[in-house]
Amino acid sequence: MKPLREPFFHFFLAGAGLFVAYTWLDDGVETQHQASSVREIRVGEGELRWVSEIWTRQWQRTPSPEELRGLVANLLKEEVLAREARELGLDKDDTVVRRRLAQKMTFLIEDTARISEPDESDLQQFYDAHKDSFRRTGRVSFVHVFFDRSKRVNAAADAQQTLVRLTTDGGPEQIANEGDRLLIEAEIGGADLNTVTARFGQDFAREIFALPPGAWSGPIESAYGLHLVRVSEMIPGDVRPFAQVKAEVLEQWHEQQRRAYEERYFAELFKKYHIVADERIEALVGPLTVAKDGTR
């Protein structure tokens, strides 16, 4: 039994024993690691609102309870697949993934912003500080006679001659017999600046709102040709009273608070990151703290 007394044999037995022990211990550690490595996925109001709003934007209605359950189930499947993809590095340099994650964070930020409801004095102060936001635009009513340059040798001269006649006798019958046909109606009532601009052009609209009521004026150039115009009524713009626009005041107050919270959040968030921009795009980064060549 000489081999049993050989040092090499003893060394071999010791190594084998250590290998068996290590394998047994490693299996135990791996089992514990697998048990503790089960990751947690939380689904809260933020995620629920996120999937619901996406559905609503697409289908122009809120999802039913059954549809909402399906959306949540799909969200969980998507989250699991996304985590696995990130572990494999599939999210690197992917614009779609980056934007989707940023969108999700935006919903979570908005969900975190717990904005308390303002009282009456808060809303009144906001209204007083932003009265221009609640201004009612001026409105004008007028009649016009159109002269088409493409149908006349000298539309401007014809318009001037007609202006003299209308100033003398500008009754409804006289107006109906003058000028050329235009698809836009001859009498416009209670139109604001945007409406007149959309129909006739910006320059025409500005001139109309500067005319005195009651008299014929022109010719005034529009996107179509020349017009003689008589303003019958001009209602100047004014600030709508607080009681009338209270709901709008509340909506704008909430929006301002949300933006302020978001600005504070990003100001703190950017402190966590070292942003490096080269000289070509440094100006585009704006007020962010940036570094060039790796230095702040």
Side-chain angles (χ1 to χ4, degrees):
M1 300 297 292
K2 185 177 179 180
L4 296 176
R5 293 194 297 271
E6 290 292 331
F8 176 79
F9 183 72
H10 294 167
F11 179 78
F12 174 78
L13 289 177
L18 287 173
F19 177 77
V20 172
Y22 173 79
T23 302
W24 180 78
L25 289 173
D26 186 60
D27 286 343
V29 171
E30 182 65 25
T31 301
Q32 292 179 0
H33 175 72
Q34 290 176 354
S36 63
S37 65
V38 176
R39 284 130 185 175
E40 185 179 69
I41 297 177
R42 289 182 177 271
V43 180
E45 288 296 325
E47 289 83 3
L48 194 63
R49 184 159 59 90
W50 180 53
V51 296
S52 181
E53 286 191 16
I54 290 177
W55 170 279
T56 302
R57 288 174 188 171
Q58 181 177 357
W59 300 105
Q60 301 300 309
R61 65 175 178 84
T62 56
S64 67
E66 187 62 32
E67 289 166 338
L68 194 57
R69 277 193 292 272
L71 291 173
V72 172
N74 288 336
L75 176 65
L76 290 174
K77 293 176 184 177
E78 187 180 81
E79 181 65 24
V80 171
L81 290 174
R83 292 191 184 193
E84 291 299 308
R86 284 196 293 272
E87 286 193 9
L88 294 173
L90 301 181
D91 61 325
K92 304 301 182 185
D93 301 320
D94 192 313
T95 302
V96 174
V97 172
R98 184 175 66 250
R99 288 178 179 172
R100 186 72 178 270
L101 292 174
Q103 183 188 41
K104 188 174 180 181
M105 275 300 299
T106 299
F107 279 107
L108 291 177
I109 291 168
E110 292 176 354
D111 189 60
T112 306
R114 304 293 182 181
I115 301 174
S116 59
E117 289 298 312
D119 57 28
E120 192 82 2
S121 63
D122 292 329
L123 290 180
Q124 184 68 55
Q125 289 177 11
F126 184 87
Y127 169 80
D128 292 336
H130 302 85
K131 282 189 175 180
D132 282 344
S133 299
F134 309 103
R135 182 175 295 279
R136 183 165 33 211
T137 61
R139 294 182 177 273
V140 64
S141 298
F142 63 93
V143 293
H144 67 100
V145 178
F146 172 63
F147 295 85
D148 192 342
R149 281 199 174 98
S150 66
K151 296 179 179 179
R152 294 173 180 266
V153 176
N154 193 336
D158 292 345
Q160 288 289 356
Q161 293 175 8
T162 304
L163 178 61
V164 174
R165 291 198 299 272
L166 291 177
T167 301
T168 305
D169 182 15
E173 293 182 1
Q174 179 70 17
I175 295 172
N177 295 327
E178 300 289 356
D180 302 312
R181 290 179 59 83
L182 184 65
L183 292 178
I184 298 175
E185 59 271 25
E187 185 171 357
I188 307 295
D192 61 15
L193 183 63
N194 290 335
T195 301
V196 179
T197 299
R199 292 187 180 184
F200 298 93
Q202 189 176 52
D203 293 339
F204 179 91
R206 275 201 295 259
E207 288 199 50
I208 290 296
F209 274 85
L211 293 177
W216 281 98
S217 302
I220 299 174
E221 186 84 31
S222 79
Y224 308 101
L226 297 175
H227 303 257
L228 299 178
V229 179
R230 185 180 68 190
V231 173
S232 56
E233 183 182 27
M234 179 72 69
I235 302 174
D238 61 347
V239 177
R240 291 173 291 168
F242 173 75
Q244 189 178 104
V245 295
K246 186 176 178 180
E248 293 179 44
V249 175
L250 177 62
E251 183 179 350
Q252 290 193 25
W253 185 92
H254 274 297
E255 178 61 20
Q256 185 189 70
Q257 297 299 311
R258 186 196 64 78
R259 286 199 306 267
Y261 174 85
E262 196 172 278
E263 288 175 4
R264 292 194 302 269
Y265 178 87
F266 278 106
E268 291 299 317
L269 191 61
F270 278 121
K271 292 178 182 179
K272 295 172 58 178
Y273 295 90
H274 182 65
I275 300 172
V276 180
D278 61 34
E279 293 183 354
R280 292 177 302 164
I281 66 169
E282 183 181 2
L284 302 177
V285 176
L288 304 180
T289 301
V290 300
K292 290 187 293 184
D293 301 325
T295 59
R296 274 208 185 268

